[in-house]
Amino acid sequence: MTSEEAISPASVQLGLELRRLRMEIGISQRSLTRLIGLSAHSNLSDYERGRRIPPADIVEACERMLQSPRGHLQKLRAQALTERARLTLP
């Protein structure tokens, strides 16, 4: 399975929501990266594109910084993890 095939619709949905919320409050990827304690904005870029699923602590930090309802992004993350597990099962 290639990395492109491993991208699930749920991880893309999570990424789109992260991007929507970030843009709604008008901050750059670099700014959000600093605010949530990431070392490189490329990580955030991968999350927003659905290429990677962010860890729980990063999702929690994003919820706080992006003023998202508590648990909203965590729910999307859980769906993405479940979907990824189904895609990687033999």
Side-chain angles (χ1 to χ4, degrees):
M1 179 180 313
T2 68
S3 62
E4 291 298 317
E5 291 171 329
I7 296 176
S8 70
S11 64
V12 170
Q13 182 180 2
L14 171 59
L16 289 172
E17 185 65 2
L18 280 169
R19 184 175 192 274
R20 184 190 70 77
L21 290 167
R22 178 181 59 76
M23 295 192 72
E24 193 172 88
I25 63 170
I27 63 173
S28 68
Q29 282 184 340
R30 288 182 194 274
S31 294
L32 182 57
T33 296
R34 284 190 298 275
L35 288 170
I36 63 175
L38 288 174
S39 58
H41 81 279
S42 61
N43 292 329
L44 185 57
S45 178
D46 284 347
Y47 301 151
E48 286 188 359
R49 289 188 171 117
R51 291 181 182 161
R52 293 175 51 206
I53 299 171
D57 62 327
I58 296 300
V59 172
E60 186 177 314
C62 286
E63 284 181 340
R64 280 193 314 274
M65 293 300 155
L66 300 174
Q67 303 164 358
S68 173
R70 186 178 173 105
H72 172 65
L73 295 175
Q74 290 288 359
K75 180 180 175 185
L76 294 174
R77 179 181 181 272
Q79 291 171 345
L81 289 171
T82 299
E83 195 168 86
R84 182 178 68 185
R86 271 188 268 134
L87 289 172
T88 58
L89 288 175

Coordinates of all heavy atoms in Angstrom, one line a residue:
M1 N 0.8 -1.2 0.0 CA 0.0 0.0 0.0 C 0.9 1.2 0.0 O 1.8 1.4 0.8 CB -0.9 0.0 1.3 CG -1.8 1.2 1.4 SD -2.9 1.2 2.8 CE -3.6 -0.4 2.9
T2 N 0.6 2.2 -0.9 CA 1.4 3.4 -0.9 C 0.9 4.4 0.1 O -0.2 4.2 0.6 CB 1.3 4.1 -2.3 OG1 0.0 4.5 -2.5 CG2 1.7 3.1 -3.4
S3 N 1.7 5.4 0.4 CA 1.2 6.4 1.3 C 0.0 7.1 0.9 O -0.9 7.5 1.7 CB 2.3 7.4 1.6 OG 2.7 8.1 0.5
E4 N -0.2 7.3 -0.4 CA -1.4 8.0 -0.9 C -2.7 7.1 -0.7 O -3.7 7.6 -0.4 CB -1.3 8.3 -2.4 CG -0.3 9.3 -2.7 CD -0.6 10.7 -2.1 OE1 -1.8 11.1 -2.2 OE2 0.3 11.4 -1.6
E5 N -2.5 5.8 -0.8 CA -3.6 4.9 -0.6 C -4.0 4.8 0.9 O -5.2 4.5 1.2 CB -3.3 3.5 -1.1 CG -3.2 3.4 -2.6 CD -2.6 2.0 -3.0 OE1 -1.8 1.4 -2.3 OE2 -3.0 1.6 -4.2
A6 N -3.1 5.1 1.8 CA -3.3 5.0 3.2 C -4.1 6.2 3.7 O -4.5 6.3 4.8 CB -2.0 4.8 3.9
I7 N -4.2 7.3 2.9 CA -4.9 8.5 3.3 C -6.4 8.2 3.3 O -7.0 7.9 2.3 CB -4.6 9.7 2.4 CG1 -3.1 10.1 2.6 CG2 -5.5 10.9 2.8 CD1 -2.7 11.2 1.6
S8 N -7.0 8.3 4.5 CA -8.4 8.0 4.6 C -9.3 9.2 4.5 O -8.8 10.3 4.8 CB -8.7 7.3 5.9 OG -8.6 8.2 7.0
P9 N -10.5 9.0 4.0 CA -11.4 10.2 4.0 C -11.6 10.9 5.3 O -11.7 12.1 5.4 CB -12.8 9.6 3.5 CG -12.4 8.4 2.7 CD -11.1 7.8 3.4
A10 N -11.6 10.1 6.4 CA -11.7 10.7 7.7 C -10.5 11.6 8.1 O -10.7 12.6 8.7 CB -12.0 9.6 8.8
S11 N -9.3 11.1 7.7 CA -8.1 12.0 8.0 C -8.1 13.2 7.2 O -7.7 14.3 7.6 CB -6.8 11.2 7.8 OG -6.6 10.8 6.5
V12 N -8.7 13.1 6.0 CA -8.8 14.3 5.1 C -9.8 15.3 5.7 O -9.6 16.5 5.8 CB -9.2 14.0 3.7 CG1 -9.6 15.2 2.9 CG2 -8.0 13.2 3.0
Q13 N -10.9 14.7 6.2 CA -12.0 15.6 6.9 C -11.4 16.3 8.1 O -11.6 17.5 8.3 CB -13.1 14.7 7.3 CG -14.3 15.5 7.9 CD -15.5 14.6 8.3 OE1 -15.4 13.4 8.2 NE2 -16.5 15.2 8.8
L14 N -10.6 15.6 8.9 CA -10.0 16.2 10.1 C -9.0 17.3 9.6 O -9.1 18.4 10.2 CB -9.2 15.1 10.9 CG -8.3 15.7 12.0 CD1 -9.1 16.5 13.0 CD2 -7.5 14.5 12.6
G15 N -8.3 17.1 8.6 CA -7.3 18.1 8.1 C -8.1 19.3 7.5 O -7.6 20.4 7.8
L16 N -9.1 19.1 6.8 CA -9.9 20.2 6.3 C -10.5 21.0 7.4 O -10.5 22.3 7.3 CB -11.0 19.7 5.3 CG -10.6 19.1 4.0 CD1 -11.7 18.5 3.3 CD2 -9.9 20.2 3.2
E17 N -10.9 20.4 8.4 CA -11.5 21.1 9.6 C -10.4 21.9 10.3 O -10.7 23.0 10.7 CB -12.3 20.1 10.5 CG -13.0 20.8 11.7 CD -14.1 21.7 11.2 OE1 -14.4 21.8 10.0 OE2 -14.7 22.3 12.1
L18 N -9.3 21.3 10.5 CA -8.2 22.1 11.1 C -7.9 23.3 10.3 O -7.7 24.4 10.8 CB -6.9 21.2 11.2 CG -6.8 20.2 12.3 CD1 -5.6 19.2 12.0 CD2 -6.6 20.9 13.6
R19 N -7.8 23.2 9.0 CA -7.5 24.3 8.1 C -8.6 25.3 8.2 O -8.3 26.5 8.3 CB -7.3 23.8 6.7 CG -6.8 24.9 5.7 CD -6.5 24.4 4.3 NE -5.9 25.4 3.5 CZ -6.5 26.3 2.8 NH1 -7.8 26.3 2.8 NH2 -5.8 27.1 2.1
R20 N -9.8 24.9 8.1 CA -11.0 25.8 8.1 C -10.9 26.7 9.4 O -11.1 27.9 9.4 CB -12.3 25.1 8.0 CG -13.5 26.0 8.0 CD -14.8 25.2 8.1 NE -15.0 24.7 9.5 CZ -15.4 25.4 10.5 NH1 -15.6 26.7 10.4 NH2 -15.6 24.8 11.7
L21 N -10.7 26.0 10.5 CA -10.7 26.7 11.8 C -9.6 27.7 11.9 O -9.7 28.8 12.4 CB -10.7 25.7 13.0 CG -11.9 24.8 13.2 CD1 -11.6 23.7 14.1 CD2 -13.1 25.7 13.7
R22 N -8.4 27.2 11.4 CA -7.2 28.1 11.4 C -7.4 29.3 10.6 O -7.2 30.5 11.0 CB -6.0 27.3 10.9 CG -4.7 28.2 10.9 CD -3.5 27.4 10.4 NE -3.7 26.8 9.1 CZ -3.6 27.5 7.9 NH1 -3.4 28.8 7.9 NH2 -3.7 26.9 6.8
M23 N -8.0 29.1 9.4 CA -8.2 30.3 8.5 C -9.3 31.2 9.0 O -9.3 32.4 8.8 CB -8.5 29.8 7.1 CG -7.2 29.0 6.5 SD -7.3 28.7 4.8 CE -7.1 30.3 4.2
E24 N -10.3 30.6 9.7 CA -11.4 31.4 10.2 C -10.9 32.4 11.2 O -11.5 33.5 11.3 CB -12.4 30.4 10.9 CG -13.7 31.0 11.2 CD -14.7 29.9 11.7 OE1 -14.7 29.6 12.9 OE2 -15.4 29.4 10.8
I25 N -9.9 32.0 12.0 CA -9.4 33.0 13.0 C -8.2 33.8 12.4 O -7.7 34.7 13.1 CB -9.0 32.4 14.4 CG1 -7.9 31.4 14.3 CG2 -10.2 31.8 15.0 CD1 -7.4 31.0 15.6
G26 N -7.8 33.5 11.2 CA -6.8 34.3 10.5 C -5.4 34.2 10.9 O -4.7 35.2 10.9
I27 N -5.0 33.0 11.2 CA -3.5 32.8 11.5 C -2.9 31.8 10.5 O -3.5 31.0 9.9 CB -3.3 32.3 13.0 CG1 -3.9 30.9 13.2 CG2 -3.8 33.3 14.0 CD1 -3.6 30.4 14.6
S28 N -1.6 32.0 10.4 CA -0.8 31.2 9.4 C -0.5 29.8 10.1 O -0.6 29.6 11.3 CB 0.5 31.9 9.1 OG 1.3 32.0 10.2
Q29 N -0.1 28.9 9.2 CA 0.4 27.6 9.7 C 1.6 27.8 10.7 O 1.7 27.2 11.7 CB 0.8 26.7 8.6 CG -0.3 26.1 7.8 CD 0.1 25.1 6.8 OE1 1.3 25.1 6.3 NE2 -0.8 24.2 6.4
R30 N 2.5 28.7 10.3 CA 3.7 28.9 11.1 C 3.3 29.5 12.5 O 3.8 29.1 13.5 CB 4.7 29.9 10.5 CG 5.4 29.2 9.3 CD 6.4 30.2 8.7 NE 6.8 29.7 7.4 CZ 7.8 28.9 7.2 NH1 8.5 28.4 8.2 NH2 8.2 28.5 6.0
S31 N 2.3 30.4 12.5 CA 1.8 30.9 13.8 C 1.2 29.8 14.7 O 1.5 29.7 15.9 CB 0.9 32.1 13.6 OG 1.5 33.2 13.0
L32 N 0.3 29.1 14.1 CA -0.3 28.0 14.9 C 0.7 27.0 15.3 O 0.6 26.5 16.5 CB -1.4 27.3 14.0 CG -2.2 26.2 14.8 CD1 -2.8 26.7 16.1 CD2 -3.2 25.6 13.9
T33 N 1.7 26.7 14.5 CA 2.8 25.8 14.9 C 3.4 26.2 16.1 O 3.6 25.4 17.1 CB 3.8 25.6 13.7 OG1 3.1 25.1 12.6 CG2 5.0 24.8 14.1
R34 N 3.8 27.5 16.2 CA 4.4 28.0 17.4 C 3.5 28.0 18.6 O 3.9 27.6 19.7 CB 4.8 29.5 17.2 CG 6.1 29.6 16.4 CD 6.7 31.0 16.4 NE 5.7 32.0 15.8 CZ 5.7 32.2 14.5 NH1 6.4 31.6 13.6 NH2 4.8 33.1 14.1
L35 N 2.2 28.3 18.4 CA 1.2 28.4 19.5 C 1.0 27.0 20.1 O 0.7 26.9 21.3 CB -0.1 28.9 19.0 CG -0.1 30.4 18.7 CD1 -1.4 30.8 18.0 CD2 0.1 31.2 20.0
I36 N 1.0 25.9 19.3 CA 0.7 24.6 19.9 C 2.0 23.8 20.2 O 1.9 22.7 20.6 CB -0.2 23.8 18.9 CG1 0.4 23.5 17.6 CG2 -1.5 24.5 18.8 CD1 -0.4 22.6 16.6
G37 N 3.1 24.4 20.0 CA 4.4 23.8 20.4 C 5.0 22.8 19.4 O 5.8 21.9 19.8
L38 N 4.6 22.8 18.1 CA 5.3 22.0 17.2 C 6.6 22.6 16.8 O 6.8 23.8 16.8 CB 4.4 21.8 15.9 CG 3.2 21.0 16.0 CD1 2.3 21.0 14.8 CD2 3.5 19.5 16.4
S39 N 7.5 21.7 16.3 CA 8.9 22.2 16.0 C 8.9 22.6 14.5 O 9.8 23.4 14.1 CB 9.9 21.1 16.2 OG 9.6 20.0 15.5
A40 N 8.0 22.1 13.7 CA 8.1 22.5 12.2 C 6.7 22.6 11.7 O 5.8 21.8 12.0 CB 8.9 21.4 11.5
H41 N 6.5 23.6 10.8 CA 5.1 23.8 10.3 C 4.8 22.7 9.2 O 3.6 22.5 8.9 CB 4.9 25.2 9.7 CG 5.5 25.4 8.4 ND1 6.8 25.7 8.2 CD2 4.9 25.4 7.2 CE1 7.0 25.8 6.9 NE2 5.8 25.7 6.2
S42 N 5.8 22.0 8.8 CA 5.5 20.9 7.8 C 4.6 19.8 8.5 O 3.8 19.2 7.8 CB 6.8 20.3 7.3 OG 7.6 19.7 8.4
N43 N 4.7 19.6 9.8 CA 3.9 18.7 10.5 C 2.4 19.1 10.4 O 1.5 18.4 10.0 CB 4.2 18.6 12.0 CG 5.6 17.9 12.2 OD1 6.0 17.1 11.5 ND2 6.2 18.3 13.3
L44 N 2.2 20.4 10.7 CA 0.8 20.9 10.5 C 0.3 20.8 9.1 O -0.9 20.5 8.9 CB 0.8 22.4 11.0 CG -0.6 23.0 11.1 CD1 -1.6 22.2 12.0 CD2 -0.5 24.5 11.5
S45 N 1.2 21.1 8.2 CA 0.8 20.9 6.8 C 0.3 19.5 6.5 O -0.7 19.3 5.8 CB 2.0 21.3 5.9 OG 1.6 21.2 4.5
D46 N 1.1 18.5 6.9 CA 0.7 17.1 6.7 C -0.6 16.8 7.4 O -1.4 16.1 6.9 CB 1.8 16.2 7.3 CG 3.0 16.1 6.4 OD1 3.0 16.5 5.3 OD2 4.0 15.6 6.9
Y47 N -0.9 17.4 8.6 CA -2.2 17.1 9.3 C -3.3 17.8 8.5 O -4.3 17.1 8.3 CB -2.2 17.8 10.7 CG -1.1 17.2 11.6 CD1 -0.6 18.1 12.6 CD2 -0.6 16.0 11.5 CE1 0.4 17.6 13.5 CE2 0.4 15.5 12.4 CZ 0.9 16.3 13.3 OH 1.9 15.9 14.2
E48 N -3.1 19.0 8.0 CA -4.2 19.6 7.2 C -4.4 19.0 5.9 O -5.6 19.1 5.4 CB -3.8 21.1 7.0 CG -3.9 22.0 8.2 CD -3.8 23.4 8.0 OE1 -3.5 23.8 6.8 OE2 -3.9 24.2 8.9
R49 N -3.5 18.3 5.3 CA -3.7 17.6 4.1 C -4.2 16.1 4.3 O -4.4 15.4 3.3 CB -2.4 17.5 3.3 CG -2.0 18.9 2.7 CD -0.8 18.8 1.8 NE -0.6 20.0 1.1 CZ 0.5 20.8 1.3 NH1 1.5 20.4 2.0 NH2 0.6 21.9 0.6
G50 N -4.3 15.7 5.5 CA -4.8 14.4 5.8 C -3.7 13.3 5.6 O -4.0 12.1 5.6
R51 N -2.5 13.7 5.4 CA -1.4 12.8 5.2 C -1.0 12.1 6.5 O -0.5 10.9 6.5 CB -0.1 13.5 4.7 CG -0.3 14.0 3.3 CD 0.9 14.6 2.8 NE 0.7 15.1 1.4 CZ 1.5 16.1 0.9 NH1 2.5 16.6 1.5 NH2 1.2 16.4 -0.3
R52 N -1.1 12.8 7.6 CA -0.8 12.2 8.9 C -2.0 12.6 9.9 O -2.6 13.6 9.7 CB 0.5 12.8 9.5 CG 1.7 12.3 8.6 CD 3.0 13.0 9.1 NE 3.2 12.9 10.5 CZ 3.9 13.7 11.2 NH1 4.5 14.8 10.6 NH2 4.1 13.6 12.5
I53 N -2.2 11.7 10.9 CA -3.1 12.0 11.9 C -2.4 12.6 13.1 O -1.5 11.9 13.6 CB -3.9 10.7 12.3 CG1 -4.7 10.2 11.1 CG2 -4.9 11.0 13.4 CD1 -5.3 8.8 11.2
P54 N -2.8 13.7 13.6 CA -2.0 14.3 14.7 C -2.2 13.6 16.0 O -3.3 13.0 16.2 CB -2.6 15.8 14.8 CG -3.9 15.7 14.1 CD -3.8 14.6 13.1
P55 N -1.2 13.6 16.9 CA -1.4 13.0 18.2 C -2.5 13.7 19.0 O -2.8 14.9 18.7 CB 0.0 13.2 18.9 CG 0.9 13.7 17.8 CD 0.1 14.2 16.7
A56 N -3.0 13.1 20.0 CA -4.1 13.6 20.8 C -3.7 14.9 21.4 O -4.6 15.8 21.5 CB -4.5 12.6 21.9
D57 N -2.5 15.1 21.9 CA -2.1 16.3 22.6 C -2.1 17.5 21.6 O -2.5 18.6 22.0 CB -0.8 16.2 23.4 CG 0.4 15.9 22.5 OD1 0.2 15.2 21.5 OD2 1.5 16.4 22.8
I58 N -1.8 17.3 20.4 CA -1.7 18.3 19.4 C -3.2 18.7 19.0 O -3.5 19.9 18.9 CB -0.9 17.9 18.1 CG1 0.5 17.6 18.5 CG2 -1.1 18.9 17.0 CD1 1.2 18.9 19.0
V59 N -4.0 17.7 18.9 CA -5.4 18.0 18.6 C -6.1 18.8 19.7 O -6.8 19.7 19.5 CB -6.2 16.6 18.3 CG1 -7.7 16.9 18.2 CG2 -5.7 16.0 17.1
E60 N -5.8 18.4 20.9 CA -6.3 19.1 22.1 C -5.8 20.6 22.1 O -6.6 21.5 22.3 CB -5.9 18.5 23.4 CG -6.5 19.1 24.6 CD -6.1 18.3 25.9 OE1 -6.2 17.1 25.9 OE2 -5.8 19.0 26.8
A61 N -4.5 20.8 21.8 CA -4.0 22.2 21.7 C -4.6 22.9 20.6 O -4.9 24.1 20.7 CB -2.5 22.1 21.5
C62 N -4.9 22.3 19.4 CA -5.6 22.9 18.3 C -7.0 23.3 18.7 O -7.4 24.5 18.4 CB -5.6 22.0 17.1 SG -4.0 21.9 16.2
E63 N -7.7 22.5 19.4 CA -9.0 22.8 19.9 C -9.0 24.1 20.7 O -9.9 25.0 20.5 CB -9.7 21.7 20.7 CG -10.1 20.5 19.8 CD -10.8 19.4 20.6 OE1 -10.6 19.3 21.8 OE2 -11.5 18.7 20.0
R64 N -8.0 24.2 21.6 CA -7.9 25.4 22.5 C -7.6 26.6 21.6 O -8.2 27.7 21.7 CB -6.9 25.2 23.5 CG -7.4 24.4 24.7 CD -6.4 24.5 25.9 NE -5.0 24.3 25.5 CZ -4.4 23.1 25.5 NH1 -5.0 22.0 25.7 NH2 -3.1 23.1 25.1
M65 N -6.5 26.5 20.8 CA -6.0 27.7 20.1 C -7.0 28.1 19.0 O -7.1 29.3 18.7 CB -4.7 27.4 19.5 CG -3.6 27.2 20.5 SD -3.4 28.7 21.5 CE -2.7 28.0 22.9
L66 N -7.7 27.2 18.4 CA -8.6 27.5 17.3 C -10.0 27.8 17.8 O -10.9 27.9 17.0 CB -8.6 26.4 16.2 CG -7.2 26.2 15.6 CD1 -7.2 25.0 14.7 CD2 -6.7 27.4 14.9
Q67 N -10.2 27.7 19.1 CA -11.5 28.0 19.7 C -12.6 27.0 19.2 O -13.8 27.4 18.9 CB -11.9 29.5 19.5 CG -10.9 30.4 20.0 CD -11.0 31.8 19.5 OE1 -11.9 32.1 18.7 NE2 -10.2 32.7 20.0
S68 N -12.2 25.8 19.0 CA -13.1 24.8 18.5 C -13.9 24.2 19.8 O -13.3 24.1 20.8 CB -12.3 23.7 17.9 OG -13.1 22.5 17.5
P69 N -15.1 23.8 19.6 CA -15.8 23.1 20.7 C -15.0 21.9 21.2 O -14.5 21.2 20.4 CB -17.1 22.7 20.1 CG -17.3 23.5 18.9 CD -16.0 23.8 18.4
R70 N -14.9 21.8 22.5 CA -14.1 20.8 23.2 C -14.6 19.4 22.7 O -15.8 19.1 22.7 CB -14.3 20.9 24.7 CG -13.4 19.9 25.4 CD -13.5 20.1 26.9 NE -12.8 19.1 27.6 CZ -11.7 19.2 28.2 NH1 -11.1 20.4 28.2 NH2 -11.1 18.2 28.8
G71 N -13.7 18.6 22.2 CA -14.0 17.3 21.7 C -14.3 17.2 20.2 O -14.3 16.1 19.7
H72 N -14.6 18.3 19.6 CA -14.9 18.3 18.2 C -13.8 17.7 17.3 O -14.1 16.7 16.5 CB -15.3 19.7 17.7 CG -15.5 19.8 16.2 ND1 -16.5 19.2 15.6 CD2 -14.8 20.5 15.3 CE1 -16.4 19.5 14.3 NE2 -15.4 20.3 14.1
L73 N -12.6 18.2 17.4 CA -11.5 17.7 16.6 C -11.1 16.3 17.1 O -10.7 15.4 16.3 CB -10.3 18.6 16.7 CG -10.5 20.0 16.0 CD1 -9.3 20.9 16.2 CD2 -10.9 19.8 14.5
Q74 N -11.2 16.0 18.4 CA -10.9 14.7 19.0 C -11.8 13.6 18.4 O -11.4 12.5 18.1 CB -11.0 14.7 20.5 CG -10.0 15.5 21.2 CD -8.6 14.9 21.2 OE1 -8.4 13.8 20.6 NE2 -7.6 15.6 21.8
K75 N -13.1 14.0 18.2 CA -14.0 13.0 17.5 C -13.6 12.7 16.1 O -13.6 11.5 15.7 CB -15.4 13.6 17.6 CG -16.5 12.7 17.0 CD -17.8 13.3 17.0 CE -18.8 12.5 16.3 NZ -20.2 13.1 16.2
L76 N -13.2 13.7 15.4 CA -12.7 13.5 14.0 C -11.4 12.7 14.0 O -11.3 11.8 13.1 CB -12.5 14.9 13.3 CG -13.8 15.7 13.0 CD1 -13.4 17.1 12.5 CD2 -14.7 15.0 12.1
R77 N -10.6 12.9 15.0 CA -9.3 12.2 15.1 C -9.6 10.7 15.3 O -9.0 9.8 14.7 CB -8.4 12.7 16.2 CG -7.2 11.9 16.4 CD -6.3 12.5 17.5 NE -5.1 11.8 17.7 CZ -5.0 10.7 18.4 NH1 -6.0 10.2 19.1 NH2 -3.8 10.0 18.5
A78 N -10.6 10.4 16.2 CA -10.9 9.0 16.5 C -11.5 8.3 15.3 O -11.2 7.2 15.0 CB -12.0 9.0 17.7
Q79 N -12.3 9.0 14.5 CA -12.8 8.5 13.3 C -11.7 8.2 12.3 O -11.7 7.1 11.6 CB -13.8 9.4 12.6 CG -15.1 9.6 13.4 CD -16.0 10.7 12.9 OE1 -15.6 11.5 12.1 NE2 -17.3 10.7 13.3
A80 N -10.7 9.1 12.2 CA -9.6 8.9 11.3 C -8.8 7.7 11.7 O -8.3 6.9 10.9 CB -8.8 10.1 11.2
L81 N -8.5 7.5 13.0 CA -7.8 6.4 13.5 C -8.5 5.1 13.2 O -7.9 4.1 12.8 CB -7.5 6.5 15.0 CG -6.5 7.6 15.4 CD1 -6.5 7.8 16.9 CD2 -5.1 7.3 14.8
T82 N -9.8 5.1 13.4 CA -10.6 3.9 13.2 C -10.5 3.5 11.7 O -10.3 2.3 11.3 CB -12.0 4.1 13.6 OG1 -12.1 4.3 15.0 CG2 -12.9 2.9 13.3
E83 N -10.7 4.5 10.9 CA -10.7 4.3 9.4 C -9.3 3.8 9.0 O -9.2 2.9 8.1 CB -11.1 5.5 8.7 CG -11.5 5.3 7.3 CD -12.1 6.5 6.7 OE1 -11.4 7.4 6.2 OE2 -13.3 6.6 6.7
R84 N -8.3 4.4 9.5 CA -6.9 4.0 9.1 C -6.7 2.5 9.5 O -6.1 1.7 8.7 CB -5.9 4.9 9.7 CG -4.4 4.5 9.3 CD -3.4 5.4 9.9 NE -3.3 5.2 11.3 CZ -2.6 5.9 12.1 NH1 -1.8 6.9 11.7 NH2 -2.5 5.7 13.4
A85 N -7.1 2.1 10.7 CA -7.0 0.8 11.1 C -7.7 -0.2 10.2 O -7.1 -1.3 9.8 CB -7.5 0.6 12.5
R86 N -8.9 0.1 9.7 CA -9.6 -0.7 8.8 C -8.8 -0.8 7.4 O -8.8 -1.9 6.8 CB -11.0 -0.2 8.5 CG -12.0 -0.7 9.5 CD -13.4 -0.4 9.2 NE -13.7 0.9 9.9 CZ -14.3 1.9 9.4 NH1 -14.7 1.9 8.1 NH2 -14.5 3.0 10.1
L87 N -8.2 0.3 7.0 CA -7.5 0.3 5.7 C -6.2 -0.5 5.8 O -5.8 -1.0 4.7 CB -7.2 1.8 5.3 CG -8.4 2.6 4.9 CD1 -7.9 4.0 4.7 CD2 -9.0 2.1 3.6
T88 N -5.6 -0.6 6.9 CA -4.4 -1.3 7.0 C -4.5 -2.8 7.4 O -3.5 -3.5 7.4 CB -3.4 -0.6 8.0 OG1 -4.0 -0.5 9.3 CG2 -3.1 0.8 7.5
L89 N -5.7 -3.2 7.7 CA -5.9 -4.6 8.1 C -5.8 -5.5 6.8 O -6.2 -5.1 5.8 CB -7.3 -4.9 8.7 CG -7.4 -4.3 10.2 CD1 -8.9 -4.5 10.6 CD2 -6.5 -5.1 11.1
P90 N -5.2 -6.7 6.9 CA -5.1 -7.6 5.8 C -6.4 -8.1 5.3 O -7.4 -8.1 5.9 CB -4.2 -8.7 6.3 CG -4.1 -8.6 7.7 CD -4.6 -7.2 8.1

